Amino acid sequence: MTSIKHVGVVGAGQMGRGIAEVCARAGLHVTLCDVSEDRARAGLVGVADSLLKAERRGSVTSGDRAHALTRISVGADLSSLAGADLVVEAAVEDEHAKTELFRQLDKVAGPGAVLATNTSSIPIARIAAATGRPESVIGLHFFNPVPVMPLVEVIPSLHTSQATRQRVRAFADEVLGKQAIVTQDRAGFVVNSLLIPYLLAAVRMVGSGAATAEDIDTGMTAGCAHPMGPLHLADLIGLDTVAAIGEALYEEYREPLYAPPPLLRRMVESGLLGRKSGQGFFDYQPA
């Protein structure tokens, strides 16, 4: 069993909202925190919308939806996380931003709190080094959309204590009902080390003119039975996030297959980020 009853989530974007939702649905008290109260409240609105959709699908009852929402509070100050047993960071995929955030969390979180990062690719040891409690820092990588995807990667660093590993694994398995896998603290962990080269190869095919985005995705859905093509998936993840993960993997391994191709870099620089911007390899603007 796990002693985690109160979860703090830092970052009220798509991933943070999803993490807050699954924790609240599991009966935990959640504090959703962002740089402003307006952004945190916008995140709570996103959770409410997701729960309403889940009710319409029959995934939750009306009562469960209402009870989950009552378990979530919002805050713009990290001090609101002082009582949390577990703090999950779901901020932008930028190493400097994450290490600075963990430096601040180390000051406000209680002495027994676990500090977890939802990073997709940044080594946990680098983030843990910003704190005075590296034994209590761990990676807890959820997948988008969090309420639907069953997997979570648990990533201990060389300094993470056995007690922290067991506590977080039990939390993921027993409390959230996720399927947890444990991976070494290497950039990309398991899933992104395999996934990102595949996505980048699809981007290179578009950039070289080998095939259109539509035909590439059709090839993988109709020919390989993938539920979603690589370019729709890249748009869903966010092209800026895909590029950032690729850069982190390339820095770690120095292998060309991890390097973001020029087309991806130009799209990110142009603000074409996928679904969240309304345009990526495909158009998501309302008709």
Side-chain angles (χ1 to χ4, degrees), residues 143 188 190-201 230 233 237 249:
F143 291 82
V190 170
V191 173
N192 280 321
S193 290
L194 296 169
L195 176 64
I196 294 301
Y198 163 63
L199 301 184
L200 297 181
L233 180 55
I237 295 169
L249 287 164

Side-chain angles (χ1 to χ4, degrees), residues 236-265:
L236 175 63
I237 295 169
L239 301 187
D240 53 339
T241 301
V242 172
I245 298 170
E247 288 167 357
L249 287 164
Y250 182 71
E251 180 184 350
E252 178 96 329
Y253 302 110
R254 295 297 175 182
E255 295 184 12
L257 76 165
Y258 293 122
L263 175 60
L264 182 61
R265 295 181 184 276

Side-chain angles (χ1 to χ4, degrees), residues 6 27 29 38 71 95 104 150 162 166 176 195 207 220 225 233 235 237 259 264 266 280:
H6 178 187
H29 173 58
D38 285 346
R71 298 186 187 105
E95 184 174 334
Q104 297 176 49
Q162 190 64 29
Q166 292 173 348
L176 299 187
L195 176 64
M220 297 309 294
L233 180 55
D235 278 352
I237 295 169
L264 182 61
R266 295 298 88 77

